């Protein structure tokens, strides 16, 4: 089976660990080998959280620079920061809703321009899918569902060895029942965003 | 029911390495487990803690790793299978116990898990704990994957019983924090009580006894070497005249590289999972069939030195390479592309590396360092100390915990840190060797762990400094584990005692003790000032629950604050406090109401009194 490598970057608290868990569970349900690793140093203290997921016949749980087939960014500046994980043929999906780091508030550094982020990523990789996932999460009924929106866009690209049905099933088993309708709605809105 | 208690054998679960290890312990019949929390090992114990609530499995958060190991050692010598879990530097603390425990040995299996942290994702050093196996003379196991971690625990427990010695189980962060689909085995019935068979002339390590025990240890080591040679976790793969010897996660990178380079018939692998003692017969055989060999291991040239020594014994002269220029580094962690590259170079293989995107033209992206939470009590304490110490030539030894983040601006309240407890110990030295005003910071859990002996030392030797004990009611950084100062009844647990830091400090003989509530800014500054004026050892206990922990307990602190139009843009709040609830919009300071916990600190700091609580009607 071919190997597909996915990097997910986010800011602590954005729910990306749940997103990777859902993908892992979907792989389990679909009998697809998966290896993943997480670095969440001090996620709850506002640091960067990175997960690497390797689908298919490989043993490694981390992804070297240039080796990600897909980069999923929960935050635009973090997507750009992680761009060296990609190569010319990589696909990048990113949320466009910025979370400026605290260093910006205390005047140490300037948040990059959103248009510039998109142009840079677009020029350096094969494809960029960028949209405001927070707005779609709100539309689905809960801003916290931003992870499900992004999953929807990710799976819709068809680059993962997982179908929308399989991931929807994993969402149903892995996320809290009270949020299930919102999560599935968010996932579908993500599907649509990636088709646009 | 806890998911790791599933009794359905053959069930497929997506598990984190640390969950798999906890499950492995259950499948190995381990009945007693101890720890002092430390990343990357923390989730193992977090799962044990939960499991112990539901079953007859006994688990404890011990005050430090040395105590944890002694609890487990006694249990194992009473015939109960035990496990002791710690991060790599924890084994330094437990080393005194380990070295002679190896002489004494065990009756029932004892596995000591050390979670090493190459690259120091969350540690103060990246020491390679494999040397502890060699130093103490005990056997060591190293898994390469999550699945293997689960299976190896049972093997390690059996091995420990067979050798009558503790077994070191060494993981690295990328095992602890990786996930994989694993298949569960059966959980046997645990034996939770044993009986200690007295035998003082084997158990009481006076010199005459220890001289015999050392002989016994060497005998056990010899037996271990034989087992290592036939251990199923030491195996070969592939064929060819080139050889790679590897361990841990490096095996995954080597194995993927061989597949991608399609050289299964050129390069063979010797994967070492039972790494101390090294399987010398196996290594000799392997080297005999090689024209040259590469050793792939993160950290120190531990296997490399052993393999070279084995080759010398066997008079094998093939080229053996591992660490060095153009080869592997002793620094940080490896990655698959780096391993593939060095292998291709060494073995002269065709290889076109993937080019990462060129990063030219990418603007500098502002760093996103972790920050103390909004409303973290440490921020308030640091502010009070800074104000009270204004004008003094200060020196701030600090310690290990969330408060180490006080290193970063705008707080900048950390000058020196070595290890757990070093704040108070080095404060003794700094105050002797300099005339600077020494103010040391230590968290409550760290104080229990290793802050007490240096404080006693300070009182006895008449040192002159102020120790600020940040009593926030939890071991915050590693995920809010309890410690002896926590009121467990209040958290809904029974069967625990409680140790008062204040009583203990007074009992040690510290004559000037202040207790502050750090959100009361003015009072706190005054109290710290009094403590700083005192000549001799003074202690300030800053008591306030960790904000994040309070949130998880649903203890609300009140309404969030907002910046009213009285604000004159001094930005004292941002520049002196750096609470992450602040942000700048249209050149004005704003407070994010969802992040602010209403600690009131900034409201007390603002010279214009412009920061006000959000009214209920708003
Ligand atoms: S977890 Fe608690 S102690 Fe740590 S930074 Fe947050 S509030 Fe402070
Ligand atoms: S009151 Fe001020 S310092 Fe406290 S959490 Fe809110 S914004 Fe931060």
């Amino acid at each position: 089976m071919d190997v597909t490598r996915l990097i997910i970057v986010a800011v602590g608290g954005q729910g990306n660990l749940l997103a990777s868990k859902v993908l892992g569970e979907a792989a389990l349900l679909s009998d697809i080998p998966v290896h993943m690793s997480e670095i969440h140093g001090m996620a709850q203290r506002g640091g960067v959280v990175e997960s690497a997921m390797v689908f298919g016949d490989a043993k490694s749980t981390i992804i070297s620079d240039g080796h990600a087939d897909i980069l999923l960014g929960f935050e635009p500046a973090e997507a750009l920061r992680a761009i060296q994980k990609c190569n010319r043929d990589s696909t990048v999906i990113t949320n466009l809703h910025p979370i400026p780091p605290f260093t910006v508030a205390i005047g140490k550094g300037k948040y990059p321009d959103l248009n510039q982020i998109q142009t840079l990523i677009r020029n350096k990789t094969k494809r960029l899918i960028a949209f405001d996932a927070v707005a779609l999460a709100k539309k689905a009924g809960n801003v916290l569902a931003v992870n499900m929106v992004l999953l929807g866009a990710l799976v819709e690209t068809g680059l993962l060895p997982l179908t929308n049905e399989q991931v929807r099933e994993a969402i149903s088993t892995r996320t809290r029942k009270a949020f299930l309708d919102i999560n599935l709605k968010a996932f579908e809105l993500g599907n649509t965003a990636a088709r646009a | 029911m806890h998911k790791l208690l599933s009794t359905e054998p053959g069930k497929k679960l997506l598990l984190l390495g640390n969950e798999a290890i906890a499950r492995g312990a259950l499948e190995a019949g381990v009945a007693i487990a101890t720890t002092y929390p430390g990343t990357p090992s923390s989730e193992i114990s977090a799962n044990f803690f939960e499991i112990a609530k539901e079953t007859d499995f006994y688990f404890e958060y011990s005050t430090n790793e040395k105590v944890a190991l002694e609890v487990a050692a006694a249990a194992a010598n009473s015939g109960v299978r035990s496990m002791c879990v710690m991060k790599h530097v924890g084994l330094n603390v437990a080393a005194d116990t380990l070295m002679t425990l190896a002489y004494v040995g065990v009756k029932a299996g004892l596995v000591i898990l050390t979670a090493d942290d190459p690259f120091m994702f969350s540690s103060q050093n990246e020491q390679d704990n494999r040397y502890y196996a060699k130093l103490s003379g005990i056997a060591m196991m190293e898994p390469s994957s999550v699945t293997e971690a689960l299976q190896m625990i049972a093997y390690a427990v059996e091995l420990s019983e067979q050798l009558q010695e503790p077994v070191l189980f060494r993981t690295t962060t990328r095992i602890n924090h990786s996930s994989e689909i694993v298949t569960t085995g059966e959980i046997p019935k645990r034996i939770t009580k044993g009986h200690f068979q007295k035998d003082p002339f084997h158990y009481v390590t006076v010199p005459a006894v220890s001289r015999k025990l050392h002989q016994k240890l060497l005998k056990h080591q010899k037996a271990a070497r034989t087992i290592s040679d036939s251990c199923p976790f030491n195996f070969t793969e592939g064929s060819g005249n080139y050889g790679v010897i590897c361990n841990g996660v490096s095996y995954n990178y080597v194995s993927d590289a061989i597949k991608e380079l399609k050289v299964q018939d050129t390069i063979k692998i010797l994967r070492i999972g039972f790494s101390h003692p090294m399987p010398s017969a196996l290594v000799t055989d392997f080297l005999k069939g090689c024209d040259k060999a590469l050793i792939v291991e993160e950290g120190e040239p531990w296997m490399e030195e052993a393999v070279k020594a084995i080759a010398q014994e066997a008079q094998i002269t093939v080229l053996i390479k591992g660490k060095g220029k153009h080869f592997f580094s002793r620094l940080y962690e490896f990655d698959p592309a780096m391993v593939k590259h060095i292998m291709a170079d060494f073995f002269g293989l065709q290889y076109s590396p993937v080019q990462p995107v060129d990063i030219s033209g990418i603007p500098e992206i502002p760093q996103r360092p972790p920050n103390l939470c909004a409303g973290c009590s440490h921020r308030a304490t640091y502010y009070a100390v800074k104000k009270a110490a204004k004008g003094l030539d200060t020196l701030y030894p600090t310690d290990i915990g969330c408060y180490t983040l006080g290193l970063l601006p705008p707080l900048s309240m950390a000058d020196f840190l070595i290890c757990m407890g070093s704040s108070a110990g080095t404060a003794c030295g700094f105050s002797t060797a300099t005339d600077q005003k020494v103010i040391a910071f230590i968290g409550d859990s760290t104080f229990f762990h290793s802050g007490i002996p240096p404080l006693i030392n300070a009182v006895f030797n008449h040192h002159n400094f102020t120790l600020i004990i940040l009593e926030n009611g939890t071991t915050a950084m590693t995920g809010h584990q309890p410690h002896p100062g926590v009121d467990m009844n209040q958290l809904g647990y029974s069967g625990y005692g409680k140790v008062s830091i204040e009583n203990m400090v007074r009992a040690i003989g510290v004559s000037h003790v202040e207790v502050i509530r750090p959100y009361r800014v003015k009072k706190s500054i005054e109290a710290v000032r009094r403590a700083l004026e005192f000549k001799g050892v003074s202690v300030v206990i800053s008591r306030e629950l960790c904000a994040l922990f309070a949130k998880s307990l649903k203890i609300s602190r009140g309404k969030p604050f907002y910046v009213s139009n009285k604000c004159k843009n001094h930005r004292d709040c941002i520049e002196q406090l750096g609470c992450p609830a602040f942000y700048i919009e249209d050149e004005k300071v704003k407070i994010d109401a969802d992040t602010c916990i209403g600690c009131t600190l900034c409201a007390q700091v603002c010279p214009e009194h412009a920061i006000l609580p959000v009214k209920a009607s708003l």
Side-chain angles (χ1 to χ4, degrees):
Chain A
M1 171 174 192
D2 277 353
V3 178
T4 309
R5 297 186 174 87
L6 163 69
I7 290 273
I8 307 179
V9 287
V11 175
Q14 282 193 298
N16 74 310
L17 295 181
L18 180 62
S20 50
K21 201 174 260 173
V22 164
L23 290 177
E25 290 290 339
L28 170 61
L29 292 171
S30 331
D31 251 334
I32 289 166
V34 64
H35 292 84
M36 55 201 247
S37 69
E38 294 154 1
I39 288 300
H40 43 96
M42 287 188 105
Q44 288 185 300
R45 325 289 184 282
V48 183
V49 193
E50 182 186 297
S51 352
M53 301 193 73
V54 183
F55 298 88
D57 294 322
K59 291 194 169 85
S60 305
T61 69
I62 63 174
I63 298 172
S64 301
D65 284 357
H67 285 70
D69 299 298
I70 316 155
L71 167 65
L72 176 62
F74 276 53
E75 202 278 341
E78 292 311 324
L80 184 59
R81 199 198 303 278
I83 195 73
Q84 82 281 0
K85 289 285 176 197
C86 296
N87 57 54
R88 280 244 55 122
D89 290 324
S90 309
T91 296
V92 180
I93 302 159
T94 188
N95 175 17
L96 280 181
H97 184 89
I99 303 178
F102 186 70
T103 41
V104 170
I106 56 170
K108 293 200 185 312
K110 192 173 157 294
Y111 194 88
D113 176 70
L114 279 184
N115 287 324
Q116 190 194 6
I117 292 179
Q118 293 178 72
T119 314
L120 281 164
I121 298 178
R122 202 171 283 123
N123 289 342
K124 289 175 190 293
T125 58
K126 188 165 107 192
R127 184 175 175 209
L128 170 70
I129 301 169
F131 58 94
D132 185 343
V134 171
L136 293 184
K138 282 186 189 149
K139 195 166 154 198
N142 191 333
V143 46
L144 293 177
V146 62
N147 50 4
M148 298 299 137
V149 173
L150 288 165
L151 277 188
L154 169 67
V155 180
E156 184 66 28
T157 61
L159 295 169
L160 291 183
L162 295 170
T163 63
N164 280 320
E165 291 66 45
Q166 288 164 335
V167 177
R168 266 205 302 269
E169 195 185 332
I171 292 174
S172 310
T173 55
R174 288 304 306 194
T175 69
R176 279 202 272 155
K177 292 283 161 285
F179 296 121
L180 185 55
D181 290 343
I182 291 176
N183 282 342
L184 290 175
K185 178 95 210 288
F187 184 77
E188 268 161 38
L189 288 173
N191 285 162
T192 320
R195 277 198 300 268
Chain B
M1 188 177 69
H2 194 284
K3 78 168 172 185
L4 297 181
L5 288 170
S6 162
T7 49
E8 190 187 321
K11 192 177 162 79
K12 285 192 167 184
L13 292 171
L14 177 72
L15 293 187
L16 186 68
N18 280 343
E19 293 173 324
I21 289 166
R23 171 76 192 195
L26 296 174
E27 291 185 12
V30 167
I32 291 187
T34 61
T35 198
Y36 181 82
T39 315
S41 77
S42 306
E43 297 86 358
I44 304 173
S45 356
N47 281 291
F48 282 160
F49 187 55
E50 296 298 318
I51 288 163
K53 276 194 287 188
E54 291 182 34
T55 63
D56 60 357
F57 183 88
Y58 176 83
F59 168 74
E60 73 169 46
Y61 284 114
S62 309
T63 40
N64 65 29
E65 294 85 354
K66 179 174 187 288
V67 177
L69 183 53
E70 285 155 3
V71 174
N77 272 303
S78 306
V80 178
R81 288 183 168 183
S82 303
M83 187 163 168
C84 182
V85 175
M86 60 192 76
K87 71 181 289 169
H88 62 329
V89 287
L91 198 48
N92 300 334
V93 178
D96 201 7
T97 305
L98 174 68
M99 294 307 297
T100 311
L101 174 61
Y103 279 29
V104 168
V106 295
K107 285 281 161 294
L110 169 59
V111 172
I112 303 168
L113 185 137
T114 164
D116 289 15
D117 190 17
F119 190 69
M120 300 164 274
F121 289 102
S122 48
S123 307
Q124 67 267 41
N125 75 23
E126 56 177 349
Q127 68 185 48
D128 186 333
N129 270 10
R130 292 179 296 171
Y131 286 101
Y132 271 118
K134 203 168 180 173
L135 186 62
S136 63
I138 63 173
M140 172 168 58
M141 306 292 304
E142 294 182 73
S144 289
S145 68
V146 173
T147 300
E148 217 179 31
L150 190 156
Q151 296 163 347
M152 252 191 201
I153 295 279
Y155 181 90
V157 170
E158 302 270 345
L159 177 67
S160 166
E161 270 168 27
Q162 196 181 344
L163 293 171
Q164 302 271 285
E165 291 289 347
V167 168
L168 191 63
F169 197 92
R170 183 214 185 218
T171 61
T172 55
T173 305
R174 294 296 183 174
I175 298 287
N176 301 93
H177 287 171
S178 283
S179 300
E180 200 174 286
I181 295 163
V182 304
T183 309
T184 58
E186 269 181 62
I187 299 183
K189 212 181 134 29
R190 280 176 287 278
I191 298 169
T192 56
K193 279 270 185 257
H195 179 78
F196 180 75
Q197 204 64 49
K198 287 188 186 201
D199 187 3
F201 291 96
H202 282 101
Y203 282 125
V204 181
T205 55
V206 295
V209 172
S210 289
R211 284 184 202 115
K212 283 186 294 183
L213 293 179
H214 195 187
Q215 287 181 12
K216 180 185 77 164
L217 172 61
L218 294 185
K219 226 180 274 160
H220 290 165
Q221 256 183 60
K222 206 167 152 208
R225 188 159 292 123
T226 315
I227 302 171
S228 180
D229 269 321
S230 59
C231 171
F233 291 110
N234 292 333
F235 57 82
T236 53
E237 244 174 40
S239 59
N241 293 338
Y242 292 152
V244 171
I245 302 179
C246 52
N247 70 334
V249 291
S250 303
Y251 162 69
N252 304 329
Y253 312 152
V254 167
S255 171
D256 285 352
I258 287 179
K259 215 174 109 212
E260 284 162 30
L261 297 166
K262 301 196 175 60
V263 288
Q264 291 95 332
D265 301 332
T266 320
I267 301 178
K268 58 185 174 190
I269 301 178
L270 172 57
R271 205 299 304 267
I272 306 288
F274 185 143
S275 53
H276 188 261
M278 282 285 277
S280 32
L282 207 59
V283 171
T284 306
D285 276 355
F286 185 80
L287 289 177
K288 274 186 182 151
C290 291
D291 292 341
K292 53 181 178 174
L294 187 64
I295 318 290
V296 190
E297 57 185 325
E298 289 179 332
E300 301 298 325
W302 196 92
M303 290 200 299
E304 186 181 342
E305 282 164 5
V307 168
K308 284 176 174 167
I310 292 168
Q312 156 73 22
E313 285 273 319
Q315 298 186 11
I316 297 169
T317 54
V318 297
L319 180 65
I320 300 168
K321 282 286 187 186
K323 303 285 171 181
K325 208 171 160 201
H326 306 304
F327 287 90
F328 292 104
S329 173
R330 296 156 84 139
L331 299 172
Y332 317 142
E333 64 167 5
F334 292 178
D335 70 82
M338 166 224 268
V339 169
K340 184 157 66 170
H341 182 86
I342 294 173
M343 282 172 63
D345 256 15
F346 181 63
F347 294 118
L349 306 168
Q350 281 298 345
Y351 161 61
S352 47
V354 178
Q355 289 303 328
V357 296
D358 98 89
I359 51 167
S360 61
I362 292 190
E364 202 183 319
I365 303 163
Q367 289 304 309
R368 200 184 289 275
N371 188 357
L372 294 173
C373 299
C376 173
S377 53
H378 301 329
R379 181 177 290 107
T381 309
Y382 281 138
Y383 179 79
V385 173
K386 215 179 208 173
K387 286 287 154 195
K390 207 168 172 194
L392 298 174
D393 179 13
T394 53
L395 173 47
Y396 297 120
T398 191
D399 227 300
I400 294 184
C402 285
Y403 50 97
T404 320
L405 293 174
L407 165 73
L408 301 173
L411 297 170
S412 310
M413 292 291 280
D415 293 317
F416 199 79
L417 169 63
I418 301 175
C419 61
M420 295 284 283
S422 72
S423 58
T426 59
C428 296
F430 283 127
S431 65
T432 305
T434 73
D435 284 327
Q436 284 156 290
K437 182 70 206 170
V438 178
I439 306 170
F441 294 95
I442 191 166
D444 43 6
S445 189
T446 308
F447 181 68
F448 284 112
H449 179 284
S450 46
I452 299 166
L455 185 60
I456 295 174
N457 180 68
V459 170
F460 175 64
N461 286 310
H462 253 301
H463 288 293
N464 176 26
F465 64 88
T466 302
L467 180 67
I468 315 271
I469 304 177
L470 302 155
E471 187 175 16
N472 70 349
T474 185
T475 313
M477 183 155 81
T478 46
H480 301 109
Q481 292 85 354
H483 62 63
V486 173
D487 187 342
M488 295 294 277
N489 285 324
Q490 221 175 30
L491 299 179
Y493 297 97
S494 57
Y496 288 92
K498 179 178 184 297
V499 180
S500 152
I501 291 184
E502 184 181 345
N503 291 349
M504 193 162 44
V505 168
R506 291 189 195 279
I508 286 172
V510 176
S511 40
H512 190 105
V513 181
E514 300 274 356
V515 179
I516 61 169
R517 305 303 306 242
Y519 294 148
R520 295 183 195 147
V521 176
K522 232 175 109 202
K523 275 195 168 164
S524 297
I525 297 174
E526 283 161 14
V528 174
R529 205 171 276 142
R530 285 194 299 273
L532 297 185
E533 277 160 11
F534 181 80
K535 232 187 126 24
V537 186
S538 57
V539 165
V540 177
I541 299 171
S542 177
R543 197 175 284 155
E544 185 60 64
L545 199 59
C546 156
L548 188 60
F549 191 46
K551 210 176 196 176
S552 73
L553 297 176
K554 308 227 176 331
I555 302 173
S556 149
R557 227 174 272 301
K559 298 191 191 73
F561 281 65
Y562 77 103
V563 185
S564 71
N565 53 16
K566 286 202 275 177
C567 169
K568 295 230 168 76
N569 233 349
H570 303 286
R571 304 214 175 162
D572 282 16
C573 50
I574 285 202
E575 273 154 27
Q576 299 189 23
L577 302 177
C579 172
F582 298 132
Y583 63 98
I584 307 273
E585 202 177 80
D586 304 328
E587 293 304 307
K588 286 260 176 201
V589 180
K590 293 270 163 69
I591 291 174
D592 175 23
D594 291 334
T595 313
C596 169
I597 64 144
C599 80
T600 74
L601 176 63
C602 58
Q604 297 174 66
V605 168
C606 172
E608 303 294 336
H609 303 291
I611 303 179
L612 303 171
V614 172
K615 288 199 204 73
S617 60
L618 266 173

